[in-house]
Amino acid sequence: MHKRRCENAAAVTSNLGGGNHGHLALLMTDRAYFEETQLAFIAPTKPGDDPPTALNPEEQPFVNDRYKRNQRIYEKYYGNTDKVLKKQIEATVEAAFISTLRHELTGFNQVTAFQMITHLYATYGVSDAEISFLQRAKGPAAKMALAHFWFAEFMTREHSAGSMGIVGPPIVSRLHQFLSDGMIFYNHARKITVTPFPFIQAQLSVFCILVIMIVVPLLMENFVQTLWAVFFLVFFCVSCLAGLHEVAKELENPFRNVPNNLPLCTLQAMYNESL
């Protein structure tokens, strides 16, 4: 996503920063821009509300023209281009991931596109080395265990360095205990997903429901005298049994990414925001 936004920013022409990379500096630090282009980028400053007054009245038209040119450059850099990039980021990223940057009255007007990118990297990003380790880990369980070890090591290292403040060892051990509890519940949920429902029992359930759909109307027609009651009882009995079967199918794996199951992506985003 960041690379696509950089491509879009570079496509907007500009004479700043050498003029060959458009508005790429909007989404990069000054050092990163210099390493990429070998040129320094000087961001335009706001020219002010009114043009300055020239010492020589004859030079005032030239001062006004320079003021208007600087104003257009500033509005194109911080106004139009940055706003478009922010809209593209909003359309690409789920709202939960950038909700903390949104002001309840002004929205994202006080936030730049680079601040959005920095927030995403700082909150949800991983380094290249971490990505390499995660790619080498085989399977979701191994990746989860690796992240668990990283988190436990991080807490231990930060506590040893004193960056957590004056925190007693029992409090730190409780944090590790909560982290371990999270891994236990993850493995419980994983067992629900991995362990299949017995195939024979599933087929027998479907077969029994089909038999009931045929037999129950015949029994009701023989033992119930009122016609409307026959329709009601048949519909009620067959619907209840078929409904229980469908509920059992949903409970077999509640972690699929469909509207009727648990919203795991939303829950994960909310958990990350709380961290």
Side-chain angles (χ1 to χ4, degrees):
M1 187 273 294
H2 187 197
K3 292 182 179 179
R4 290 295 303 274
R5 301 291 82 78
C6 288
E7 293 175 1
N8 295 342
V12 182
T13 58
S14 173
N15 294 326
L16 302 174
N20 295 324
H21 300 87
H23 288 69
L24 181 61
L26 274 171
L27 300 176
M28 305 176 70
T29 62
D30 295 338
R31 181 175 180 179
Y33 184 86
F34 181 79
E35 292 177 353
E36 180 70 24
T37 64
Q38 301 302 315
L39 294 171
F41 184 88
I42 301 176
T45 58
K46 189 174 183 179
D49 297 332
D50 299 314
T53 303
L55 297 178
N56 187 352
E58 296 179 356
E59 297 180 355
Q60 188 63 41
F62 301 100
V63 173
N64 293 340
D65 292 339
R66 186 167 59 251
Y67 169 80
K68 293 179 181 179
R69 183 173 64 255
N70 293 335
Q71 193 174 37
R72 286 195 300 268
I73 294 174
Y74 179 84
E75 291 178 353
K76 184 179 181 181
Y77 184 79
Y78 285 110
N80 301 334
T81 307
D82 191 66
K83 287 181 180 179
V84 171
L85 291 173
K86 286 194 296 184
K87 291 295 183 182
Q88 292 176 349
I89 294 174
E90 289 182 58
T92 306
V93 180
E94 292 187 18
F97 291 105
I98 54 176
S99 61
T100 55
L101 298 177
R102 185 181 183 89
H103 191 272
E104 58 181 1
L105 298 179
T106 60
F108 294 107
N109 289 330
Q110 305 301 323
V111 181
T112 64
F114 179 69
Q115 289 175 334
M116 286 184 171
I117 296 294
T118 304
H119 168 75
L120 292 173
Y121 272 119
T123 309
Y124 309 103
V126 292
S127 64
D128 295 335
E130 291 171 338
I131 293 175
S132 177
F133 275 109
L134 289 172
Q135 289 176 343
R136 280 184 281 173
K138 304 299 182 182
K143 291 178 171 57
M144 189 68 183
L146 181 61
H148 169 257
F149 293 146
W150 282 344
F151 200 6
E153 179 189 5
F154 172 76
M155 288 194 300
T156 304
R157 185 173 61 249
E158 293 298 314
H159 177 66
S160 300
S163 58
M164 297 177 65
I166 304 175
V167 180
I171 303 299
V172 178
S173 64
R174 182 60 62 87
L175 295 176
H176 284 277
Q177 181 63 45
F178 285 152
L179 190 61
S180 178
D181 292 341
M183 282 298 298
I184 291 174
F185 292 127
Y186 165 77
N187 287 310
H188 287 337
R190 185 172 178 272
K191 285 190 293 185
I192 295 176
T193 303
V194 174
T195 305
F197 193 78
F199 178 77
I200 300 299
Q201 185 174 352
Q203 303 306 310
L204 285 176
S205 298
V206 175
F207 176 76
C208 291
I209 290 177
L210 293 176
V211 172
I212 288 174
M213 294 175 63
I214 298 174
V215 173
V216 169
L218 298 177
L219 294 176
M220 291 296 178
E221 196 273 334
N222 290 327
F223 291 98
V224 180
Q225 303 300 323
T226 308
L227 184 61
W228 66 267
V230 172
F231 284 104
F232 174 76
L233 292 174
V234 170
F235 176 79
F236 181 78
C237 295
V238 175
S239 297
C240 288
L241 293 175
L244 289 175
H245 177 71
E246 293 298 323
V247 171
K249 288 170 58 179
E250 294 289 335
L251 293 177
E252 182 181 359
N253 184 11
F255 304 117
R256 295 175 298 171
N257 190 22
V258 295
N260 198 38
N261 290 117
L262 294 174
L264 294 182
C265 295
T266 303
L267 294 176
Q268 182 66 48
M270 294 171 60
Y271 178 74
N272 292 340
E273 289 291 341
S274 66
L275 291 178

